[in-house]
Amino acid sequence: MDEEDIEATKSYILTLCSAIGGLEEVEGPDGSVIQKYCVGDEALACLRDLKRAIRTDSQNNERTVLKALVEFNVIETDIVPLLLSFRKDRNEVALRFILACVELLVPMTWPVEKRIDDEDQQDDPNLMSCYRKYKLDLLKEGVFEAILTLIMNSVRIPQRDRSIIDQTTIRLGLYLFRNLTAIPDLNMSQSSNLEHIRMSHMQETLMIRYYESDVTEFLLTIASNSAKQEGTTEWNVLVLESLYNLIKSVDPKDVFSHRMTKTSLDRADLEEAAAKLSGLLNIENTKKRQKTTYVPTRHNRFGGTYVLEWDSKKRISHSQVGGFADPTELIEGQKKTNRSGRKRKLEDKSLTRKVYQNNQSLMYLKLTAQSFIQSCFNAFYTRMMKDMLREDDKILANDYTRYYYTMKWFLEYHGYEQSAASRRRESNLDSTIEEDDIDRTKDFDFSLVASALDLKTVLFCLRQMRTTLDNKQWFELQMAVDCLRQMLLSIGVMAKSQVEEYRAIAEHIQSNMYYEQQHLDLLIELVRCYKNQSDGYLKSVVLLTHVLLRLLDKYQQDKKTLFIRKKAKSSKPKKITAGDQEEPLIADVVDSENEEEDRDRRAIYKDQVFKFDSFEQRYISTDLVHTYCALLENYMDLEPKYMACITSMFHRIMVKRRAEYLFWKLPVLDLFNRILSDVHRVPKTKEFGMLIEFIQYSTYQFFKAAKVYPLLFIEALIPKMRSDRNMWEEPNVERIQAEQEEEEYLNDVNYIPSTTTNNNTEAEQSTETHNNDIIDEEMVDYLFSAFDQRDKEVNTITTTTENHNDSLDLEVETSIAEVDKLLMEMGVETTES
């Protein structure tokens, strides 16, 4: 637009805003003169004209109308006073004015459409400044009460009697509440001006206003009744997005830890505040130490020079820390990292930050979470999953991410409440409950979140993980992984419950989940496919792997024999010979729609004994060690729980699976060396101490083995090379014999006829057709052994025949001599004589 067009548009907007109304001096009841907002004669028409102007301006990237509305401060000077003037009125004229204001506010605050994890598309700073100004003006007391009065007037009408205007009114109100939650706060320091400070805390102020004006109660009411009413998918999606924006970037543990006390601070509160302050000071000191490579000493005021000589060459370098620093750091520290060819790691979109710092906002958020779990969780998520399964048009791609994030958030909060309730029951503290802690009397049972702890929900989550993994949607996959991990944690607690019903449900879910081999393959693939994803995705996968292995190990220990269903290799189609080509092709008559059904019908599955050691062995790979080391690179800022997961996995690989060669590679050894060098600068925790013990043990074993087998130093330079432990260690005969016996036992047990969906006769025929000209290795060995046995028998028969002939000749010669002797006695002459 030209400057003349912009000025003309601004003049037109100013004319409309001036005609809406204004302040006039009127005489009050006590005779004093007060200012009161009076509505203009053409106020409704002006509001409609403004709405049309905003709709037309939405096609323009410059957003001239929105900027003009901010410049003229129309919300603070006209819209808000207009809403407040009709707040206590219930007549039709008041409702029409409030509806006109809502129709104007919805397009003015409509969020920018983009992907939920799109890091390339940046928000327009001018547009976001306008949105923040709108949101700040609407946070005045009485605005939401007036809008909610309009909405409740339509909600009270039965669903079958509601008109199109009533449906539109409810939908516009939900859109406005959603739009306000989607406007982010301004990231400013406390040294900014007052308006910027207020903009940096708008979300917690919005939470307070929503709760006090019963907007939160209205949203929870829609969620709790979602299973009873049909055709409310659009409402449920708006409620889901509103809840997602309110709890986004908030740690459930911080919300649970908030104590809702109305009295002054007691000793416990003071101790908790002192502990938090001490923790913040320790974090600040740690960050200061990390900025300085070496501990400051009195030698820092002197300069340092070091000389490096090799091959009759010298390298001289001057450095302030050259007199006392590590020579390796001095040499390597000046090198520049070659970044050519490297992919940039994806941005982490799931970082938690302090959104709610006000105690009142934390209290309202905690009450909202408790009310949602107790009255809305099952009905809301059951309805949402039904709509997602039937692929409703109102369900967008981003709604799946919000679905899994909010479910994970409320499940985690429920876990904290349930653990606290269990501890109270064990310590018998229910009889000494204070009046200020009324919320502690609520028993958060697993029945409140039954819709999430259901086999259908778990399988739906696994299918979503497979879809997002195939499409490489890493943020969506991360949300589903976090949700599945929280489900498994809750299922693990249910398996230890004293209630028989909960243990049966946990048994049912785990048995069906572990029965399918494809589910376990998916969870292994999550770790191996890591390349350049975000740190949030990496942490989620590491936590899920840790929880899965512990839960699966505990489950299989309680079972004598555990079976899994594995898809067998399908037989190859029969080759068409020359004689077959002359016959008519029957496949030409079959429809293409039945090809997939025929393929599924020919699928062959077989049951196989599940062995946890074999499943654990599948994790042993170079890719897994690379994935865990990529997370361990941030050891300076890594939380203790992630260090515990890494140490546990490393212990499984090296000690239980005896695959220590994976750690005896140069990149891993270099990482271990850096951790040992910075051991004094990392905060001392129990988990970090366990990691240091493992690194020391692994390093000691490496040099111990290299002393016996020096070529291990060369093998450390080859990442993909697998070292033979027999080169430095004598084989354990008993262990090898036990492994062979166990393998023979599994081969005998796993010999189970394949279960197929088609006829067994057809499967046998296809197998015979496939193997008619093929002799496997076992058959070859059998045939050669048969040939050797035949040759041995022939040789034996030949030797026996020769011996028998010799004996016959001897007997014949003896018989002839006897006959000649008898003839001579009778006087008969023989031929020889």
Side-chain angles (χ1 to χ4, degrees):
M1 297 178 64
D2 300 335
E3 293 184 0
E4 297 181 357
D5 297 337
I6 294 176
E7 292 296 332
T9 303
K10 287 184 177 180
S11 302
Y12 174 68
I13 297 299
L14 180 59
T15 303
L16 294 177
C17 294
S18 302
I20 294 175
L23 296 175
E24 295 183 2
E25 294 182 354
V26 296
E27 185 177 357
D30 55 351
S32 60
V33 179
I34 59 175
Q35 288 186 345
K36 182 181 178 181
Y37 187 85
C38 296
V39 183
D41 297 335
E42 302 293 335
L44 280 176
C46 293
L47 292 175
R48 295 193 184 104
D49 292 341
L50 283 176
K51 183 178 67 173
R52 282 192 292 266
I54 293 175
R55 186 177 301 172
T56 305
D57 187 60
S58 61
Q59 302 175 0
N60 184 12
N61 295 329
E62 297 180 0
R63 300 296 179 93
T64 308
V65 176
L66 291 179
K67 294 178 182 179
L69 293 174
V70 174
E71 182 180 354
F72 302 143
N73 203 9
V74 64
I75 292 184
E76 184 179 0
T77 58
D78 293 306
I79 303 299
V80 172
L82 185 61
L83 290 172
L84 295 178
S85 62
F86 292 107
R87 180 178 58 177
K88 298 181 181 180
D89 296 337
R90 297 293 186 271
N91 52 34
E92 185 178 356
V93 176
L95 296 178
R96 287 185 62 185
F97 272 101
I98 296 175
L99 179 59
C101 294
V102 173
E103 290 177 347
L104 181 62
L105 290 173
V106 169
M108 289 177 63
T109 59
W110 194 266
V112 180
E113 296 182 0
K114 65 176 183 178
R115 282 176 51 87
I116 198 170
D117 62 334
D118 193 353
E119 59 179 342
D120 297 329
Q121 181 179 356
Q122 300 293 333
D123 296 329
D124 185 5
N126 297 326
L127 182 60
M128 295 310 300
S129 178
C130 298
Y131 282 2
R132 293 189 181 100
K133 188 67 172 60
Y134 297 156
K135 183 176 180 179
L136 186 62
D137 294 336
L138 292 174
L139 292 177
K140 292 184 179 180
E141 185 177 356
V143 175
F144 296 139
E145 286 84 352
I147 298 174
L148 192 60
T149 301
L150 171 69
I151 299 174
M152 294 307 298
N153 189 43
S154 300
V155 171
R156 293 189 185 99
I157 303 174
Q159 185 178 7
R160 61 180 179 274
D161 298 334
R162 290 174 189 164
S163 62
I164 299 178
I165 298 178
D166 296 329
Q167 297 288 351
T168 305
T169 301
I170 300 173
R171 186 168 62 252
L172 287 175
L174 291 173
Y175 274 123
L176 178 60
F177 297 149
R178 187 280 311 266
N179 295 348
L180 294 178
T181 58
I183 300 175
D185 291 347
L186 183 64
N187 294 326
M188 296 296 294
S189 61
Q190 296 296 329
S191 59
S192 305
N193 54 35
L194 181 60
E195 184 178 1
H196 287 173
I197 293 176
R198 291 177 59 192
M199 287 185 178
S200 63
H201 296 278
M202 286 190 301
Q203 196 72 357
E204 58 182 357
T205 308
L206 181 67
M207 183 68 210
I208 296 173
R209 292 293 306 119
Y210 272 8
Y211 194 88
E212 292 180 348
S213 61
D214 294 334
V215 173
T216 303
E217 190 69 23
F218 170 65
L219 297 176
L220 296 182
T221 303
I222 294 178
S224 61
N225 292 278
S226 57
K228 301 178 183 179
Q229 298 181 0
E230 297 292 336
T232 59
T233 304
E234 187 176 5
W235 296 3
N236 297 333
V237 170
L238 294 175
V239 172
L240 176 66
E241 189 172 355
S242 300
L243 292 174
Y244 172 79
N245 293 329
L246 288 175
I247 65 177
K248 183 175 60 176
S249 304
V250 181
D251 191 358
K253 190 174 183 180
D254 295 340
V255 180
F256 169 75
S257 302
H258 176 71
R259 301 185 61 186
M260 295 185 294
T261 55
K262 299 179 182 180
T263 58
S264 59
L265 294 176
D266 54 4
R267 184 177 181 83
D269 294 331
L270 292 176
E271 292 179 354
E272 183 179 359
K276 289 183 179 180
L277 180 61
S278 177
L280 292 175
L281 291 175
N282 292 334
I283 293 174
E284 183 180 359
N285 293 331
T286 302
K287 291 183 177 180
K288 287 182 179 180
R289 288 196 302 269
Q290 292 176 1
K291 291 181 180 180
T292 58
T293 308
Y294 303 98
V295 180
T297 62
R298 64 186 182 89
H299 297 287
N300 281 0
R301 65 178 182 268
F302 303 108
T305 302
Y306 66 93
V307 180
L308 180 63
E309 297 184 3
W310 79 99
D311 293 339
S312 66
K313 297 180 181 180
K314 291 184 179 181
R315 175 183 175 182
I316 302 176
S317 179
H318 303 278
S319 177
Q320 186 180 11
V321 295
F324 57 89
D326 186 9
T328 305
E329 180 68 23
L330 293 174
I331 298 172
E332 301 291 340
Q334 298 180 0
K335 291 184 177 180
K336 294 183 179 180
T337 305
N338 184 14
R339 298 179 59 89
S340 59
R342 290 188 179 183
K343 290 185 177 181
R344 182 169 58 93
K345 181 175 288 190
L346 300 179
E347 183 182 354
D348 193 358
K349 291 290 183 178
S350 61
L351 296 176
T352 58
R353 54 190 179 91
K354 285 289 185 179
V355 179
Y356 298 97
Q357 301 178 3
N358 191 352
N359 291 330
Q360 191 177 9
S361 62
L362 283 173
M363 179 182 67
Y364 289 155
L365 184 59
K366 185 175 183 179
L367 292 174
T368 302
Q370 292 176 354
S371 300
F372 182 85
I373 292 175
Q374 291 177 349
S375 59
C376 308
F377 190 94
N378 290 331
F380 182 70
Y381 284 112
T382 301
R383 187 64 189 178
M384 286 296 302
M385 191 176 68
K386 288 182 180 179
D387 295 335
M388 290 179 178
L389 288 175
R390 63 186 180 89
E391 297 182 357
D392 194 281
D393 295 337
K394 303 297 182 182
I395 304 295
L396 303 179
N398 293 337
D399 294 330
Y400 291 90
T401 303
R402 300 186 184 103
Y403 171 82
Y404 288 114
Y405 181 86
T406 54
M407 180 181 287
K408 173 257 177 184
W409 196 95
F410 286 112
L411 275 178
E412 185 175 355
Y413 181 83
H414 174 268
Y416 293 133
E417 291 284 2
Q418 195 274 335
S419 301
S422 301
R423 290 193 299 267
R424 290 196 300 271
R425 286 194 300 267
E426 293 175 358
S427 57
N428 296 325
L429 293 180
D430 291 342
S431 59
T432 59
I433 297 176
E434 301 177 1
E435 295 181 358
D436 296 332
D437 298 331
I438 300 177
D439 62 295
R440 295 187 179 183
T441 61
K442 301 173 183 177
D443 188 9
F444 285 81
D445 204 44
F446 287 106
S447 59
L448 298 177
V449 291
S451 61
L453 305 179
D454 183 70
L455 178 61
K456 189 176 182 179
T457 307
V458 174
L459 296 181
F460 178 67
C461 183
L462 289 170
R463 287 197 299 270
Q464 182 67 16
M465 289 170 57
R466 168 55 65 185
T467 303
T468 53
L469 179 61
D470 294 340
N471 297 333
K472 296 184 179 181
Q473 299 173 349
W474 304 117
F475 183 74
E476 289 81 353
L477 178 59
Q478 177 187 344
M479 296 296 102
V481 165
D482 289 338
C483 185
L484 179 63
R485 172 178 57 85
Q486 198 59 43
M487 290 179 185
L488 293 178
L489 288 174
S490 301
I491 291 171
V493 177
M494 289 176 62
K496 303 176 184 178
S497 176
Q498 298 179 358
V499 183
E500 179 65 24
E501 182 182 0
Y502 295 154
R503 295 199 301 270
I505 294 174
E507 166 70 21
H508 174 67
I509 295 175
Q510 291 186 86
S511 62
N512 285 274
M513 178 181 173
Y514 303 146
Y515 179 65
E516 294 291 342
Q517 178 71 28
Q518 57 182 353
H519 297 160
L520 302 178
D521 295 341
L522 171 63
L523 299 176
I524 295 176
E525 190 176 355
L526 293 175
V527 186
R528 293 185 174 181
C529 71
Y530 174 78
K531 291 182 180 179
N532 64 325
Q533 290 85 339
S534 63
D535 291 335
Y537 171 82
L538 182 58
K539 293 177 181 179
S540 300
V541 170
V542 168
L543 289 177
L544 175 63
T545 304
H546 179 73
V547 172
L548 174 69
L549 290 176
R550 292 186 59 184
L551 197 62
L552 183 56
D553 190 10
K554 179 66 171 60
Y555 179 77
Q556 64 91 23
Q557 288 177 1
D558 299 336
K559 303 293 180 182
K560 293 183 180 179
T561 305
L562 183 63
F563 290 91
I564 58 174
R565 189 175 74 162
K566 184 177 181 181
K567 188 174 182 180
K569 295 181 179 179
S570 59
S571 59
K572 296 182 179 180
K574 182 181 178 181
K575 295 182 179 180
I576 301 176
T577 60
D580 296 335
Q581 292 180 357
E582 298 177 358
E583 300 178 358
L585 297 177
I586 306 176
D588 295 338
V589 187
V590 181
D591 296 334
S592 60
E593 299 178 356
N594 299 329
E595 292 181 358
E596 186 175 355
E597 297 180 1
D598 296 340
R599 193 184 307 114
D600 296 338
R601 192 179 299 110
R602 291 193 302 266
I604 302 175
Y605 294 90
K606 66 177 182 179
D607 288 349
Q608 186 176 2
V609 173
F610 176 77
K611 198 65 178 177
F612 181 76
D613 294 341
S614 301
F615 175 73
E616 192 179 45
Q617 184 68 31
R618 297 180 60 188
Y619 279 95
I620 311 306
S621 62
T622 307
D623 296 334
L624 182 133
V625 176
H626 167 71
T627 301
Y628 277 72
C629 289
L631 180 60
L632 193 58
E633 288 284 350
N634 304 323
Y635 60 88
M636 284 291 186
D637 303 323
L638 201 60
E639 297 181 16
K641 61 180 180 180
Y642 299 111
M643 289 188 178
C645 296
I646 294 173
T647 307
S648 176
M649 178 56 72
F650 284 177
H651 181 269
R652 289 179 185 272
I653 296 174
M654 185 168 187
V655 180
K656 296 182 66 177
R657 298 291 98 208
R658 302 170 65 84
E660 60 274 1
Y661 65 90
L662 295 175
F663 303 102
W664 295 350
K665 303 301 177 183
L666 189 59
V668 183
L669 292 174
D670 177 63
L671 175 61
F672 287 173
N673 182 43
R674 285 187 278 117
I675 294 176
L676 293 176
S677 302
D678 298 334
V679 66
H680 300 291
R681 297 195 294 147
V682 180
K684 295 179 175 60
T685 58
K686 180 181 177 181
E687 292 78 6
F688 183 71
M690 295 170 57
L691 178 63
I692 294 299
E693 290 180 3
F694 173 82
I695 292 176
Q696 293 175 348
Y697 172 76
S698 176
T699 308
Y700 171 75
Q701 293 295 328
F702 171 72
F703 288 104
K704 181 181 177 181
K707 187 176 181 181
V708 180
Y709 181 57
L711 289 178
L712 200 60
F713 291 108
I714 306 299
E715 295 179 359
L717 303 176
I718 307 175
K720 297 295 183 180
M721 185 175 183
R722 180 173 181 175
S723 303
D724 187 7
R725 62 180 304 107
N726 294 328
M727 301 301 297
W728 64 84
E729 183 182 77
E730 296 182 358
N732 191 345
V733 180
E734 296 180 357
R735 182 176 58 82
I736 295 175
Q737 185 177 1
E739 291 179 355
Q740 292 177 353
E741 293 177 356
E742 183 178 2
E743 185 177 359
E744 293 177 357
Y745 168 75
L746 290 178
N747 292 334
D748 295 337
V749 174
N750 289 332
Y751 183 73
I752 300 175
S754 302
T755 58
T756 61
T757 56
N758 58 347
N759 197 354
N760 294 332
T761 306
E762 296 177 2
E764 293 176 359
Q765 292 176 358
S766 62
T767 305
E768 293 176 0
T769 303
H770 177 58
N771 298 328
N772 53 358
D773 296 329
I774 298 177
I775 301 179
D776 55 3
E777 295 179 358
E778 296 180 358
M779 182 60 69
V780 171
D781 296 339
Y782 173 76
L783 292 176
F784 277 105
S785 62
F787 294 154
D788 295 339
Q789 184 69 21
R790 188 188 64 180
D791 295 340
K792 186 184 295 184
E793 293 177 356
V794 171
N795 294 333
T796 304
I797 293 173
T798 304
T799 305
T800 306
T801 305
E802 292 176 355
N803 295 334
H804 182 65
N805 293 334
D806 294 340
S807 62
L808 288 177
D809 294 340
L810 181 60
E811 292 178 0
V812 170
E813 292 177 359
T814 305
S815 301
I816 293 174
E818 292 178 353
V819 170
D820 292 342
K821 183 178 180 181
L822 181 59
L823 291 175
M824 290 178 63
E825 291 177 353
M826 295 175 62
V828 179
E829 296 183 355
T830 61
T831 305
E832 294 179 358
S833 62

